[in-house]
Amino acid sequence: MKSFTAFFTILFLVSSVFAVPTDEEIEKKVNELLSKMTLAEKIGQMCQRNLWSPQISDQLANDLKNGQVGSFLNAGDLDMKNRLQKIAVEESRLGIPLIYGRDVIHGYQTVLPIPVGQSCSWNPELIEKGARMAAEEASANGVHWTFAPMIDITRDPRWGRIAETWGEDPYLTSGFAKAMVRGFQGEDLSAENSLAACAKHYVGYGDAVGGRDYNSTFIPEIQLRNIFLPPFHAAVDQGVATLMSAFNEINGIPATGNKFTLSNILRGEWGFDGYVVSDWSSMTEMIAHGFCKDEKDVAEKSINAGIDMEMVSEAYRDNLKTLVKEGVVSEKLIDKRVGNILRIKLRKGLFDHPYTSDERQPVILSDEHLQIAKDVALQSIVMLKNEGTLPLSDDQTVAVIGPLANAPVDQMGTWSMDGKAEAVVTPLVAFRDMLGQDQVNYAAGLESSRDTSEEGFDAAVIAANKSDAVVLFLGEEQILSGEAKCRAFLDLPGAQEALVKVITELNKPVVAVIMAGRPLTFPNIEKHLDAILYAWHPGTMGGPAIADLVFGNASPSGKLTTTFPRTVGQVPIYYAHKNTGRPPQPRDTAVPLGTPLDPQGFTSKYLDVDITPRFPFGFGLSYASFDYKNLKVSPDWMSKDGVITVSADITNTGQVQATEVAQLYIRDLVGSATRPVKELKGFTRATLDPGETKTVSFQLNAKDCGFYGPENKFIVEQGDFKVWIGWDSAHGLEGEFKITE
Ligand code: GLC
């Protein structure tokens, strides 16, 4: 008996040493700390500083000792982070550890494709794996907290930050938001290889007027709730540790000073108990917005709205003490804000393990991580066109031409500050590895994507003429994508179109691989290209992934998650649009691009371009072909708490194994508020051998068909619905069902 008891005693002791504290224990610790903290120490926790310098100044050391800093972003290397932490933990009065933030957006030193590219995989499990990899690498370098996932919805490719989004659809983005939070935070947020995640930018940032970054947004509550809030709700439901407030104003109230979104919805409706950090000086920018008169007003409005931590600007540091002394802000409110920060620091385990050892450094750029990066890139690339040219055979001589054929930094895309250019495998290198040096003729043709000089064209023509086929690498440099990189035109920059014209006149098969941070328009050259692969900015292993697809070692499976316009004049253009009272008619789809020719009719259309997009949401080609048949909707009705099953058979009618992403869409024909002509409600990846048939089946709950109605309340209404299982948002097998009382 004694040995039995002894065994459990040891087990308890061991587990208690490593036990993750319970919520109750954490709350107890939060309150204990708050009861001991001075007002100055509390305000210190609400201040995040940026630190580019590799030195710790005497002033900074002093501030740390006085508990004046709660967090850093960009705080140098592992050694620097541990040195700063040592001062905060061992030389300050209460030893509250710092939390280190960093923009780990799509990978860390092993860089994944940009998020809008990753989203075209329609593979949350794989995306979660990529986020886990990023957490392993960043945490090994002392990062505790990533400013990701960015889960803004946008329908405007002029906006540079579309690169960071997961596409235009709230349902799809919500799934990726959950996957990213799971990947970053893991099963145990307190584990040393986990990162606290940060859902950003809360909220509506991607709906900026004119697609211009930081610009105003005017979003009715019903639209906020149906389109822009759902991914954040999903992230909160998944347990995201933090959120970041956005730069934009929403209907006149800046997101960073918006009590309705930051408190009423985030805390009141969703019960979020982590903390909210402002964006970089987004608090003090409320003066420029014309919402605050000075920094004291900024501090008061921000803390009342729901900002717990101020990124970089110093309104809290310089004004909160006075506001409390004047009785304008209560210390109770300060305690609430600081309590949110302490809660996450405790959940992150920073009090138990504030320092990071260097023993985990070898995970960075490991073979396993490079393989994950390649797998994600493979599934992110979308084939937009192929008239039998692809795949090329590897016994051909291939010309590799274009400004993005051998551009490691550009290939990593925006927000890849920790990426290692020397680790990037470019398409040129990958093609040479695969075919051998002699079978690849290379000419950049242009120095960069913005290069307007045609001096390099002759060398490009020579390379093409010496080759059996040409692969042109076109698109946008990294610097043309991301924050504040908005464009009023969506064309290929520089003299790229001229390069395409010159090369495609040589009567060689020409494949274009486009690397870009947004959907681009290329109507003038598309018809001259035999095949088009859209690779986004594919990250460290983009080259080998592209080579595998071009030479048929794998089949493209990516599907677009953003609508591709025919011209920028169609923007905003998206699949889940409303029908209007005068929907476009078939004749409105035959309008050629350019000069208005036939100004007839009174429908919602343009006189000078086809009303439909160039490539619809959900579109993507494969080396196989797929036949959809036998749609079944059973039963074809359900009550408001019911469920139906929608299924179809998909056959691979091609010659190679390939993966198809089947998509489930619905349409609510009549609602108390109008509903979109289509809404994505499910998807699945089906890998099929040649001739193989699989039945894809979806469970559709009545709740899935609900929406926020005119009263801004979530409702499920009875009525008639259409349903599709499709290969993109414009094509599929159509069925119908009813929701009854
Ligand atoms: C920014 C970005 C935000 C980023 C932050 C810290 O301006 O808007 O996404 O996380 O600064 O770098």
Side-chain angles (χ1 to χ4, degrees):
M1 186 58 181
K2 272 189 181 161
S3 58
F4 191 73
T5 311
F7 170 73
F8 268 98
T9 307
I10 292 165
L11 186 65
F12 173 74
L13 286 174
V14 168
S15 64
S16 65
V17 167
F18 299 105
V20 176
T22 64
D23 287 349
E24 292 69 30
E25 287 164 338
I26 285 178
E27 290 315 303
K28 186 164 174 287
K29 179 76 175 167
V30 167
N31 292 322
E32 263 172 29
L33 279 166
L34 288 171
S35 66
K36 294 175 188 164
M37 293 168 80
T38 64
L39 177 58
E41 288 164 337
K42 292 173 183 174
I43 294 168
Q45 287 301 308
M46 300 169 76
C47 300
Q48 179 184 59
R49 292 191 192 178
N50 183 56
L51 186 63
W52 295 125
S53 159
Q55 307 300 329
I56 300 177
S57 67
D58 294 346
Q59 178 60 55
L60 177 54
N62 212 35
D63 291 348
L64 290 168
K65 288 172 190 164
N66 294 326
Q68 301 306 296
V69 187
S71 170
F72 284 101
L73 72 156
N74 307 322
D77 62 13
L78 180 56
D79 175 56
M80 177 70 162
K81 293 188 183 83
N82 281 329
R83 285 192 292 123
L84 290 162
Q85 189 73 294
K86 192 165 175 1
I87 300 171
V89 169
E90 298 176 22
E91 299 182 42
S92 74
R93 195 173 71 85
L94 294 171
I96 298 172
L98 298 162
I99 186 165
Y100 290 117
R102 183 76 170 174
D103 290 287
V104 184
I105 309 297
H106 52 105
Y108 185 65
Q109 290 193 18
T110 304
V111 177
L112 296 164
I114 53 173
V116 73
Q118 291 188 48
S119 69
C120 294
S121 69
W122 294 60
N123 190 343
E125 293 71 32
L126 182 61
I127 299 316
E128 178 178 342
K129 211 169 154 187
R132 180 91 305 253
M133 174 202 80
E136 293 277 357
E137 293 198 355
S139 61
N141 256 1
V143 178
H144 302 134
W145 171 33
T146 174
F147 303 127
M150 189 272 214
I151 48 179
D152 298 304
I153 297 292
T154 192
R155 285 111 167 231
D156 196 330
R158 295 172 295 180
W159 189 48
R161 302 197 78 165
I162 191 171
E164 305 168 55
T165 70
W166 298 86
E168 70 189 47
D169 182 77
Y171 172 87
L172 193 61
T173 298
S174 298
F176 283 123
K178 286 176 174 276
M180 290 295 283
V181 170
R182 286 194 302 267
F184 284 136
Q185 299 190 172
E187 296 293 318
D188 172 9
L189 176 58
S190 69
E192 291 194 282
N193 63 352
S194 291
L195 291 181
C198 180
K200 73 182 185 182
H201 306 79
Y202 188 68
V203 63
Y205 183 35
D207 208 39
V209 170
R212 261 185 306 120
D213 209 349
Y214 317 119
N215 205 0
S216 313
T217 67
F218 300 95
I219 310 173
E221 186 179 339
I222 190 172
Q223 188 83 332
L224 261 183
R225 289 183 179 279
N226 283 319
I227 306 293
F228 299 96
L229 285 169
F232 290 93
H233 197 172
V236 169
D237 284 349
Q238 189 64 49
V240 70
T242 70
L243 271 79
M244 181 186 293
S245 70
F247 286 118
N248 55 292
E249 65 159 72
I250 310 165
N251 311 328
I253 314 292
T256 297
N258 198 307
K259 188 162 189 162
F260 175 63
T261 51
L262 288 166
S263 290
N264 300 26
I265 293 180
L266 181 60
R267 306 280 181 184
E269 292 182 25
W270 299 350
F272 176 63
D273 70 354
Y275 67 83
V276 178
V277 65
S278 75
D279 201 337
W280 188 296
S281 74
S282 66
M283 278 175 50
T284 47
E285 287 174 10
M286 292 198 285
I287 297 171
H289 272 290
F291 186 67
C292 297
K293 61 179 181 296
D294 55 27
E295 293 208 4
K296 189 175 175 185
D297 194 21
V298 165
E300 179 188 352
K301 286 183 172 145
S302 303
I303 195 167
N304 281 324
I307 303 294
D308 302 303
M309 184 184 283
E310 179 174 13
M311 182 187 284
V312 173
S313 52
E314 293 163 338
Y316 277 173
R317 187 195 68 174
D318 298 341
N319 298 282
L320 275 182
K321 198 169 180 180
T322 306
L323 287 165
V324 171
K325 211 159 80 180
E326 292 171 353
V328 176
V329 170
S330 71
E331 187 153 357
K332 190 162 170 288
L333 178 56
I334 299 249
D335 287 355
K336 203 163 99 175
R337 299 275 170 258
V338 175
N340 294 332
I341 296 167
L342 295 174
R343 185 172 302 116
I344 296 303
K345 288 188 173 183
L346 285 158
R347 285 180 183 165
K348 187 67 201 79
L350 294 180
F351 286 81
D352 298 330
H353 48 79
Y355 306 112
T356 303
S357 76
D358 59 4
E359 67 194 15
R360 290 193 298 113
Q361 297 273 309
V363 299
I364 296 175
L365 285 165
S366 66
D367 290 346
E368 184 201 349
H369 287 183
L370 292 171
Q371 185 58 52
I372 291 170
K374 182 183 173 186
D375 293 345
V376 175
L378 267 176
Q379 295 190 25
S380 302
I381 294 169
V382 183
M383 185 153 74
L384 299 179
K385 179 180 181 182
N386 185 33
E387 290 168 351
T389 302
L390 286 176
L392 300 179
S393 66
D394 57 12
D395 60 5
Q396 289 179 296
T397 304
V398 175
V400 170
I401 295 171
L404 286 141
N406 196 36
V409 170
D410 295 328
Q411 186 172 313
M412 291 191 284
T414 187
W415 290 112
S416 53
M417 60 189 68
D418 292 305
K420 295 294 173 205
E422 59 274 21
V424 171
V425 185
T426 64
L428 175 64
V429 171
F431 278 41
R432 282 176 170 158
D433 288 349
M434 186 174 279
L435 303 180
Q437 195 79 19
D438 301 342
Q439 278 183 249
V440 176
N441 298 308
Y442 169 62
L446 292 161
E447 287 299 306
S448 74
S449 72
R450 284 169 291 160
D451 185 1
T452 55
S453 155
E454 302 192 4
E455 279 170 21
F457 285 18
D458 290 349
V461 167
I462 290 168
N465 280 329
K466 286 196 304 189
S467 308
D468 302 318
V470 180
V471 184
L472 273 173
F473 290 88
L474 309 165
E476 289 179 317
E477 291 150 77
Q478 175 196 68
I479 197 65
L480 299 180
S481 168
E483 183 173 351
K485 307 297 185 292
C486 302
R487 296 181 56 199
F489 298 91
L490 299 176
D491 307 324
L492 286 164
Q496 294 184 69
E497 288 202 2
L499 177 62
V500 171
K501 292 250 171 66
V502 162
I503 297 299
T504 52
E505 282 164 0
L506 304 175
N507 286 324
K508 301 274 182 181
V510 179
V511 175
V513 177
I514 298 176
M515 293 191 194
R518 60 168 45 88
L520 295 177
T521 52
F522 32 87
N524 305 327
I525 57 166
E526 190 187 323
K527 49 188 172 291
H528 303 304
L529 296 167
D530 299 300
I532 302 171
L533 289 173
Y534 217 82
W536 308 100
H537 286 126
T540 305
M541 294 300 281
I546 291 166
D548 273 359
L549 294 175
V550 166
F551 294 98
N553 295 338
S555 167
S557 63
K559 297 269 187 174
L560 295 179
T561 57
T562 60
T563 299
F564 273 53
R566 296 174 186 275
T567 175
V568 69
Q570 288 183 300
V571 170
I573 182 170
Y574 46 95
Y575 88 92
H577 59 79
K578 300 300 189 67
N579 200 40
T580 78
R582 295 194 176 187
Q585 299 306 309
R587 62 183 285 162
D588 302 328
T589 60
V591 179
L593 186 72
T595 309
L597 299 177
D598 175 17
Q600 300 289 328
F602 294 87
T603 53
S604 181
K605 62 162 187 205
Y606 297 104
L607 294 181
D608 43 12
V609 70
D610 181 321
I611 189 64
T612 59
R614 179 61 199 91
F615 301 106
F617 175 88
F619 178 85
L621 300 175
S622 163
Y623 290 151
S625 48
F626 299 98
D627 180 36
Y628 285 62
K629 52 183 181 299
N630 300 336
L631 182 84
K632 290 196 180 73
V633 184
S634 72
D636 61 359
W637 65 273
M638 57 179 152
S639 61
K640 286 188 176 181
D641 55 3
V643 59
I644 60 175
T645 302
V646 187
S647 66
D649 296 338
I650 302 177
T651 303
N652 178 346
T653 53
Q655 307 304 314
V656 295
Q657 187 195 67
T659 298
E660 170 70 340
V661 179
Q663 302 148 43
L664 176 75
Y665 295 93
I666 68 166
R667 179 182 180 180
D668 183 351
L669 295 177
V670 178
S672 54
T674 58
R675 305 301 304 132
V677 295
K678 271 192 183 172
E679 290 178 272
L680 181 74
K681 293 297 177 185
F683 59 91
T684 184
R685 292 170 57 85
T687 299
L688 299 166
D689 289 326
E692 185 182 6
T693 297
K694 276 185 183 170
T695 300
V696 294
S697 179
F698 300 95
Q699 301 292 303
L700 182 66
N701 295 298
K703 190 167 179 295
D704 299 331
C705 307
F707 62 101
Y708 285 87
E711 316 305 320
N712 297 312
K713 296 281 178 279
F714 187 79
I715 50 178
V716 176
E717 294 186 321
Q718 64 176 0
D720 297 327
F721 289 75
K722 286 191 175 179
V723 60
W724 295 265
I725 291 182
W727 44 100
D728 63 40
S729 58
H731 306 89
L733 302 178
E734 180 178 312
E736 53 195 39
F737 65 90
K738 288 180 186 304
I739 293 181
T740 61
E741 262 314 316

